[in-house]
Amino acid sequence: MVRRVAPVRTCVGCRRRAPASELLRIVAVGDEAGHSLRPDPARSLPGRGANMHPDPACFAQAVRRRAFGRALRITGVLDHGDLAEHVDAPTTTSGQPDRTRVASKVGRPT
């Protein structure tokens, strides 16, 4: 009986290695405005991909370290709004917490 080993990838946020099935694949989609990051849970979109735990902490760490551009080999500013919504991370494009979103989750007005 032959045992197959699951592929192992490194999270761009926390830099820990994990089976690819536990990580979210992310691809960059180019348009006239630049590149935007899109989640690829089915792992079927074409192009180079980066992997990340589907965790808001890993997402915030990857944004702070600017890891997506290096992993995807893209220069310039990347729009990660769609990815932030998918991960449900309370951060803005600057990587800082979005106070209005955090306050709304707690149930208090800002």
Side-chain angles (χ1 to χ4, degrees):
M1 193 166 166
V2 178
R3 294 180 73 189
R4 297 192 83 178
V5 178
V8 177
R9 303 287 185 257
T10 302
C11 173
V12 295
C14 65
R15 305 290 296 154
R16 282 184 279 160
R17 295 173 59 84
S21 60
E22 294 178 11
L23 300 173
L24 175 66
R25 182 173 185 258
I26 298 145
V27 295
V29 177
D31 58 8
E32 61 276 348
H35 287 88
S36 61
L37 299 177
R38 300 279 166 83
D40 184 18
R43 305 183 79 78
S44 61
L45 291 176
R48 185 170 187 86
N51 294 284
M52 178 186 77
H53 288 106
D55 179 25
C58 286
F59 173 73
Q61 201 168 15
V63 169
R64 183 179 54 81
R65 291 181 35 240
R66 298 184 182 124
F68 291 116
R70 284 193 303 276
L72 298 170
R73 297 181 182 171
I74 295 175
T75 58
V77 178
L78 299 172
D79 175 28
H80 47 74
D82 292 339
L83 183 59
E85 288 178 15
H86 184 80
V87 176
D88 195 27
T91 59
T92 62
T93 55
S94 66
Q96 298 300 317
D98 184 354
R99 303 277 181 223
T100 59
R101 189 168 178 183
V102 171
S104 67
K105 285 188 177 228
V106 175
R108 287 179 275 165
T110 55

